[in-house]
Amino acid sequence: MEDDNKYIRFDWAAKRMLRDKANFGVFEGLITVLLNEPVHIVEILESESNQDYIDDKYNRVDIKARNSKDEIILVEIQQTRELYYLERVLYGVAKTITEHISLGEKYDKVKKVYSISILYFDLGQGADYLYHGQTSLVGVHTKDTLRINARDRGILSIKTPEEIFPEYFIIRVNEFNKIAKTPLEEWMDYLKSGHIKENTTAPGLQEARKKLQYLKMDKAERKAYDRHIDNIMVQNDVLDTAKMEGRAEGRAEGRAEGRAEGRAEGRAEERKSVARNLKAMGLDLQAIEQATGLSQKEIESL
């Protein structure tokens, strides 16, 4: 297998290999690059994605991590292809928050959530390969940002909504078309093509080079992985075919609609022409109306 293709795709690794504590470094690297601060995983949390079925339609990983401020954060990684994807992301974040706060606990136990969506499919329109957003509360008239009084460990402090509300990262893998120079670009190169530089210093990618090699999998794992890749290729082919057929059908409908509109416009113009001629001949408006179907007001305007 060529060097560029010898590493296992991230979507497969995330679901089947990176839950192993020995491989946390790969996940930590991606999150560190996105959040721009060191992050260390505490544990992989139980979620709907922790099922070992090849055909499991969910592909979500919930991670409990500690950031550089020694704060506990929850990270949710989603990769599922779905029609209502943003709604799915919103649901996933809400589920992550509620699943990991015990009944009866105070709301100060709610943890910050970062939602990372790694998309190998089209999601709307946009020129970038990475989008980031969060919620802030801005004065309608003053344009200032609301700051909230909070009590942390008995001390009154002030927080902004951005410190509490979830943050969202949308990674559009197929939109990446650059030569990888920065750690983020090196990660994008791996996510898209499976390529990792031999001398990479990007967080997590040296661990990926050591632990996500295709040839290190046993025969059964390679067979399952090859089947996964084949399924992706078939799925993409089916979707591309559907898109092509949809575009062709749309063009055909457009031509048919165009011909129908043309005929309708032609008939309308013909009635107006007849009305103008009858009007020029001195025929009264009521007779012209009966002959052409145009209203007297329309005839008067000719």
Side-chain angles (χ1 to χ4, degrees), residues 49 79 110 116 128 147 160-161 176 183 233 242 252 255:
S49 63
Q79 301 169 87
V110 171
I116 302 170
D128 211 330
R147 304 176 72 194
T160 61
F176 179 74
M233 293 176 66
R255 287 194 294 269

Side-chain angles (χ1 to χ4, degrees), residues 10-15 27 59-61 77-82 85 116-121 191:
F10 184 81
D11 57 341
W12 174 270
K15 191 164 183 61
F27 262 147
N59 203 350
R60 170 184 153 209
V61 183
I77 296 180
Q78 299 199 58
Q79 301 169 87
T80 313
R81 180 190 296 272
E82 290 191 24
Y85 192 79
I116 302 170
S117 296
I118 303 171
L119 309 184
Y120 289 88
F121 57 93
L191 291 175

Side-chain angles (χ1 to χ4, degrees), residues 79-92:
Q79 301 169 87
T80 313
R81 180 190 296 272
E82 290 191 24
L83 180 60
Y84 299 106
Y85 192 79
L86 292 183
E87 291 85 347
R88 174 69 182 86
V89 169
L90 179 62
Y91 171 79

Side-chain angles (χ1 to χ4, degrees), residues 8-11 13-14 18 23-34 77 118 120 129 171 173 176 180-197 200-209 212:
I8 302 159
R9 273 177 57 121
F10 184 81
D11 57 341
L18 299 183
N23 298 331
F24 279 0
V26 179
F27 262 147
E28 289 174 347
L30 174 60
I31 301 167
T32 292
V33 166
L34 287 175
I77 296 180
I118 303 171
Y120 289 88
Y129 58 84
I171 301 174
V173 175
F176 179 74
K181 295 180 179 179
T182 67
L184 174 60
E185 290 169 350
E186 288 190 40
W187 259 101
M188 292 301 305
D189 192 20
Y190 165 58
L191 291 175
K192 182 174 182 178
S193 66
H195 176 252
I196 304 175
K197 291 181 179 178
T200 183
T201 59
L205 288 185
Q206 276 293 355
E207 288 89 340
R209 277 182 57 86
L212 301 184

Side-chain angles (χ1 to χ4, degrees), residues 43-291:
E43 61 178 319
I44 303 294
L45 300 167
E46 287 301 318
S47 74
E48 64 188 22
S49 63
N50 289 10
Q51 301 178 35
D52 295 325
Y53 300 106
I54 293 174
D55 295 326
D56 177 12
K57 76 172 186 175
Y58 299 110
N59 203 350
R60 170 184 153 209
V61 183
D62 291 343
I63 296 169
K64 185 177 180 180
R66 195 178 293 275
N67 65 9
S68 59
K69 302 175 209 169
D70 203 33
E71 298 170 329
I72 292 294
I73 60 175
L74 301 177
V75 180
E76 183 206 38
I77 296 180
Q78 299 199 58
Q79 301 169 87
T80 313
R81 180 190 296 272
E82 290 191 24
L83 180 60
Y84 299 106
Y85 192 79
L86 292 183
E87 291 85 347
R88 174 69 182 86
V89 169
L90 179 62
Y91 171 79
V93 167
K95 190 168 171 53
T96 298
I97 293 171
T98 56
E99 279 181 348
H100 305 298
I101 181 171
S102 299
L103 186 65
E105 282 189 318
K106 293 182 180 179
Y107 290 124
D108 63 350
K109 301 298 182 183
V110 171
K111 303 302 180 185
K112 171 92 173 196
V113 172
Y114 294 87
S115 173
I116 302 170
S117 296
I118 303 171
L119 309 184
Y120 289 88
F121 57 93
D122 292 335
L123 181 71
Q125 298 178 349
D128 211 330
Y129 58 84
L130 176 63
Y131 288 84
H132 172 229
Q134 59 187 133
T135 303
S136 59
L137 300 177
V138 179
V140 174
H141 304 101
T142 61
K143 305 305 179 186
D144 67 315
T145 300
L146 180 66
R147 304 176 72 194
I148 310 295
N149 293 330
R151 188 172 294 278
D152 185 17
R153 298 174 186 172
I155 300 172
L156 188 67
S157 62
I158 296 177
K159 291 184 177 181
T160 61
E162 299 96 293
E163 296 176 82
I164 302 168
F165 291 160
E167 293 186 33
Y168 302 89
F169 292 86
I170 302 288
I171 301 174
R172 303 171 74 220
V173 175
N174 294 335
E175 298 302 314
F176 179 74
N177 293 300
K178 300 176 68 175
I179 296 174
K181 295 180 179 179
T182 67
L184 174 60
E185 290 169 350
E186 288 190 40
W187 259 101
M188 292 301 305
D189 192 20
Y190 165 58
L191 291 175
K192 182 174 182 178
S193 66
H195 176 252
I196 304 175
K197 291 181 179 178
E198 185 175 351
N199 61 346
T200 183
T201 59
L205 288 185
Q206 276 293 355
E207 288 89 340
R209 277 182 57 86
K210 296 173 186 175
K211 298 175 179 179
L212 301 184
Q213 291 184 20
Y214 174 85
L215 294 177
K216 285 189 175 180
M217 292 195 293
D218 61 35
K219 187 175 180 180
E221 289 175 330
R222 284 202 301 270
K223 187 175 180 180
Y225 178 72
D226 290 341
R227 187 165 57 248
H228 170 69
I229 297 301
D230 288 342
N231 288 339
I232 289 173
M233 293 176 66
V234 170
Q235 183 185 62
N236 289 338
D237 186 52
V238 168
L239 289 169
D240 288 342
T241 300
K243 288 177 183 177
M244 290 173 61
E245 290 175 350
R247 285 193 292 267
E249 185 177 335
R251 286 193 294 268
E253 288 179 357
R255 287 194 294 269
E257 289 174 4
R259 287 194 294 271
E261 289 174 4
R263 286 194 295 269
E265 289 175 4
R267 286 193 295 270
E269 190 57 44
E270 182 181 2
R271 286 197 298 270
K272 289 179 181 179
S273 179
V274 170
R276 275 192 291 266
N277 291 335
L278 294 175
K279 188 178 179 182
M281 292 168 62
L283 207 64
D284 63 84
L285 295 181
Q286 188 174 1
I288 297 174
E289 182 181 19
Q290 291 176 348

